Amino acid sequence: MAKKGKKSGEELFEEYYASRWEERWDSLKASLFEEVSHYSLTENLEQAYYLDEASLYPPKELDVQEGESVLDMCAAPGGKSLILATTLKGSGSLTVNDLSPDRRRRLRQVMENHLRPEWQGNIRYTGYDGSLWYRHEPDWYDKILLDAPCSSERHVLNSPEHLKKWTPGRIKSLAPRQFALLCSALETVKPGGLIVYSTCALAAEENDLIIERLHKKRKGRFTVEPTLFTAGEETRYGRHILPDRDGAGPIYYCRIRRLS
Ligand SMILES: C[S@@+](CC[C@H](N)C(=O)[O-])C[C@H]1O[C@@H](n2cnc3c(N)ncnc32)[C@H](O)[C@@H]1O
């Protein structure tokens, strides 16, 4: 229980999101308690993999072509990596990275259990801190998917333990990490290459405001491109798929083309 005079995590969470989503918050919040309707990914897989339908969009927006070099910077457990791998069909190269050893083990399992053996030879598994990647492989990849660690409000709301501990500090500490990952991706993709930045966060601080900051700090180095698909709602820089209106998500994504 919260101490007298001190707001509980649940109260802080409510206050924070209600003030941002205003009259939409009640329906948005209710939709986050509803079970995710899982999409069954089967095309070109050995067995079906289930994921939120909104998760299909970030890897599809990367528009991967056979023969390209692709980095999935925060890849575990691997639903989006599977989509990238089935697009490459064993050609080019796919580096699937995740900092967490446990999640990396799960990632390898997912790839090995679902992907055709003949499409596994081009895959490299790594466990680096993505925010430092640019030091090792600058100007390296044709395309990068950066599905960043984020607030995951759906998860927080559905976990009493996480909700109890929630403070706005959670967003404040995640946003600089997300920004560092994006800056690193910008140096790691080749000039002319494409990054898709995505999160499953509701908070604009982790979505459009990260891109806004990139505009301020890396002016002239990139351009935001229109998305290929029109799922969800248009935001300043990308799109947001939200469960109250789309029955899937939350997923935010934005396409960033490196210029120089
Ligand atoms: C949103 S999840 C990725 C979900 C995954 N793309 C998928 O579709 O299954 C974010 C992942 O980033 C990883 N991560 C967190 N910080 C990282 C860092 N600095 N470098 C690389 N991975 C990181 C976490 O372990 C987590 O697995």
Side-chain angles (χ1 to χ4, degrees):
M1 212 164 65
K3 283 189 194 143
K4 209 173 165 207
K6 201 175 165 215
K7 288 181 180 161
S8 68
E10 191 174 353
E11 285 168 325
L12 289 168
F13 185 94
E14 184 65 24
E15 201 173 273
Y16 189 87
Y17 288 98
S19 72
R20 274 148 183 86
W21 291 90
E22 299 176 341
E23 68 278 3
R24 190 170 167 185
W25 175 236
D26 285 345
S27 60
L28 187 52
K29 184 178 166 191
S31 69
L32 292 169
F33 283 113
E34 278 163 30
E35 213 172 306
V36 180
S37 73
H38 281 118
Y39 180 87
S40 162
L41 192 65
T42 52
E43 208 182 329
N44 288 319
L45 293 181
E46 297 276 283
Q47 55 168 299
Y49 184 87
Y50 297 93
L51 76 180
D52 182 338
E53 193 169 355
S55 293
L56 301 174
Y57 288 95
K60 284 182 183 247
E61 288 284 355
L62 206 52
D63 193 26
V64 166
Q65 307 295 318
E66 285 183 38
E68 288 183 328
S69 54
V70 181
L71 168 63
D72 190 349
M73 199 177 245
C74 300
K80 301 183 187 73
S81 304
L82 279 178
I83 297 172
L84 299 174
T86 52
T87 313
L88 284 170
K89 298 183 165 53
S91 72
S93 68
L94 176 61
T95 301
V96 290
N97 180 68
D98 203 280
L99 191 56
S100 153
D102 285 347
R103 289 178 65 92
R104 217 160 49 237
R105 263 190 292 282
R106 173 88 184 107
L107 169 67
R108 193 183 271 273
Q109 255 176 15
V110 165
M111 299 301 273
E112 289 178 354
N113 292 345
H114 292 79
L115 207 56
R116 293 182 187 180
E118 67 271 27
W119 289 357
Q120 297 194 20
N122 65 335
I123 298 174
R124 177 169 68 131
Y125 296 87
T126 57
Y128 301 123
D129 179 348
S131 63
L132 304 177
W133 202 290
Y134 68 101
R135 294 189 187 167
H136 309 296
E137 291 185 330
D139 311 334
W140 205 271
Y141 294 93
D142 294 311
K143 302 209 167 140
I144 298 179
L145 176 62
L146 170 51
D147 189 32
C150 70
S151 274
S152 311
E153 291 91 345
R154 181 191 280 282
H155 176 69
V156 172
L157 261 183
N158 285 282
S159 157
E161 193 195 329
H162 284 98
L163 191 55
K164 204 165 68 186
K165 289 191 226 143
W166 193 90
T167 71
R170 182 172 163 85
I171 295 171
K172 279 202 187 109
S173 72
L174 276 162
R177 287 171 59 198
Q178 292 157 341
F179 184 68
L181 284 162
L182 185 53
C183 288
S184 175
L186 190 63
E187 301 308 321
T188 302
V189 78
K190 291 175 184 169
L194 186 70
I195 301 165
V196 169
Y197 173 81
S198 60
T199 75
C200 61
L202 285 181
E205 289 87 339
E206 301 179 50
N207 297 332
D208 269 356
L209 294 182
I210 297 289
I211 315 303
E212 183 89 33
R213 185 150 179 233
L214 198 69
H215 270 297
K216 287 192 186 127
K217 303 280 182 187
R218 299 289 186 273
K219 203 170 177 225
R221 299 280 321 284
F222 72 98
T223 176
V224 171
E225 293 201 338
T227 57
L228 303 177
F229 301 93
T230 53
E233 297 160 45
E234 194 173 5
T235 67
R236 180 145 190 215
Y237 297 112
R239 301 196 77 86
H240 214 178
I241 304 176
L242 293 166
D244 58 336
R245 294 194 182 156
D246 301 301
I251 287 281
Y252 167 88
Y253 55 88
C254 166
R255 301 178 91 229
I256 297 165
R257 175 86 55 191
R258 176 169 166 186
L259 294 176
S260 58

